[in-house]
Amino acid sequence: MNGEVIIPLLLFLMIIFFVGFYASKHIRSTSNFLQEYFLGSRQLGGFILAMTMTATYGSASSFVGGPGVAYTMGLGWVLLSMSQLATGYFVLSVLGKKFAIMARKIRAVTLIDFLKERYQSKWVVILSAASIIIFLFSAMAAQWVGGARLIESLTGLSYTTALFIFAVSVLVYVIIGGFRAVAITDTIQGVVMFVGTLVILIGTIIAGGGIGNIISDLTAENPALISPFGSDQSLTPLYVSSFWVLVGVGVVGLPQVAVRAMSYKNSRGMHKALIIGTIVVGFIMLGMHLTGVFARSVLPGIEVGDTVMPKIAMEVLPNWLAGIVLAAPMAAIMSTVDSLLLLVSSAVVKDVYLNYVKPEADDQTIKRFSISVTAIIGVLVFAMAVKPPELLIWLNLFSFGGLEAAFIWPVIMGLYWQKGNASGALASIITGVGSYILFHSLMPNAFGMHTVVLPVILSLMAYVSVSLVTLRHHQEVQAEVYEKLWSA
Amino acid sequence: MRKTKRFKEDARYRVANREALIGLVLVMINFALWFGFAYGLGSKPVEEYSYIWGLPAWFFYSCIASTVLVVVLVMLAVKFLYKEVSFEEEDEE
């Protein structure tokens, strides 16, 4: 591996580093540590909001895994990936103003703060915090493994060394800079992702002799590659459509995305983010997956899907440019794990420690505690990622869909349906996570749809029916909640 | 829960509820365009495909043209339908 590829990567890491130091200045001067560290004092503008949402959402799978599958399956997989366009405008429209206004009324800093005030139930808080900590911890570890593998393949360093470099660069800025550092670095990472996508797409099209040429290559190899049904005809319309639940509308239930819907400064910022977010998500998803398909004509015969992106970048671009393009998946992974790290830390500090262990802690204690918890979690993830245990790999399988099934209804119905209550939310969380794990293990892709679909439907039914049955039981609490959250 | 109406509901919520519905409508339009073009034009045998910019027509319309159209719709919705509201607490007791 040569220096020309590594230099842009190193430069990228250094810039990220400095941003962390810059953001840590705000932490020192802030009057409310918790709001600043976990939410950037709700000061995000439109562009940063759009970028931190997209970058947090776009992970290793958008840049490495997804294009690898597209390489094998053809245009049908690009079609499937475009269901993600909805995340750009749907999350902000649905959570949008309601969540921002309510969160301000109750001074919520985390998603669980909101659930706590909305449902007034200890068990809702404990179950939600547990799901966030367990699922996101494993998701984070899995992304770290991906990040380290990428550095390993690009630089030729050993896996452990690569993991160490990756861990140190993420940990430093998250620990000292908090949410503001995460949001600003996400913005830089988002720009890198956007530019990287553009460059690699154009490079691949030129190397393949134009789009027409590439498509006729693919048709000659296997006509199904350019059909919507995938190279082996396995992508049914129902299956592909069910991804609208998993990666389209269901994203509303992801805590790392939802928390961003309360971090913005004003509605003008939110409006701008709606537009920018849609454009950026649409472009990145289309560009990366299309590159994966086109790569098949330029470099046929790649066996391991995850190596398609690095190989095609090295093949079609000059070295220094490949370095910049390969900083994109690195950016995607970093921008996802930094948010997860902070979120898991906020669940421990704010949702568990301050709620139930030591509510009277003073600002200085909270500060010291938050920073140490973030650091400890980071070190734990590192330790796990060195040799990932089976349990963690298993848990990671559920982290995306499981969290969606758990949180989508307690959040959405909590915002829009006044009759929803604590029993309903509990039933919904338990049904969502429980049935997801059951379906995944016993009946994956039931009835030809992605596994996530049925648990989402079941958890909605649980939420509504249990809320209605226990209506009278919760009457008094609900009246208080209604007054607090809904009154002008 | 009875609405005793001892207080007025936050007026900003009407704006918020409306925008959530607009988001839902946008998703449905998005899905219909995406699905209709992909399987409407893409289900025939590959030999009968027509091509635009070198890409199969179903792909061009469902993944590129529809994406552009949805972005335009989002822009129009934001410009004409979404309202700016203040997030500051209006009257702190």
Side-chain angles (χ1 to χ4, degrees), chain A residues 332-456:
Chain A
I333 297 173
M334 285 174 90
S335 60
T336 303
V337 297
D338 60 8
S339 322
L340 298 188
L341 178 59
L342 202 61
L343 198 73
V344 174
S345 158
S346 77
V348 174
V349 176
K350 182 79 179 54
D351 305 327
V352 179
Y353 178 76
L354 283 180
N355 278 342
Y356 301 112
V357 184
K358 204 176 176 192
E360 73 285 357
D362 62 78
D363 226 45
Q364 205 50 37
T365 317
I366 297 175
K367 188 170 174 176
R368 229 174 294 136
F369 191 70
S370 306
I371 292 178
S372 355
V373 166
T374 313
I376 292 167
I377 294 170
V379 173
L380 273 179
V381 180
F382 176 76
M384 290 280 183
V386 171
K387 199 176 178 299
E390 296 273 327
L391 176 69
L392 190 133
I393 297 167
W394 186 78
L395 280 170
N396 178 51
L397 293 175
F398 312 116
S399 58
F400 201 86
L403 280 172
E404 287 183 0
F407 288 117
I408 186 167
W409 302 119
V411 173
I412 293 194
M413 299 300 268
L415 288 171
Y416 292 100
W417 193 46
Q418 289 154 10
K419 289 198 176 83
N421 63 32
S423 307
L426 270 181
S428 179
I429 295 174
I430 295 169
T431 311
V433 175
S435 66
Y436 195 89
I437 293 179
L438 278 180
F439 274 114
H440 185 93
S441 323
L442 305 176
M443 223 178 138
N445 297 336
F447 308 113
M449 294 177 293
H450 187 277
T451 309
V452 79
V453 178
L454 290 177
V456 164

Side-chain angles (χ1 to χ4, degrees), chain A residues 89 93 97 105 485-486, chain B residues 10 13 19 30 82-83 92:
Chain A
Y89 55 88
S93 294
K97 288 173 187 154
K105 279 191 203 289
L485 268 62
W486 265 269
Chain B
D10 195 322
Y13 285 168
E19 288 171 14
N30 191 173
Y82 284 53
K83 289 210 174 72
E92 202 89 328

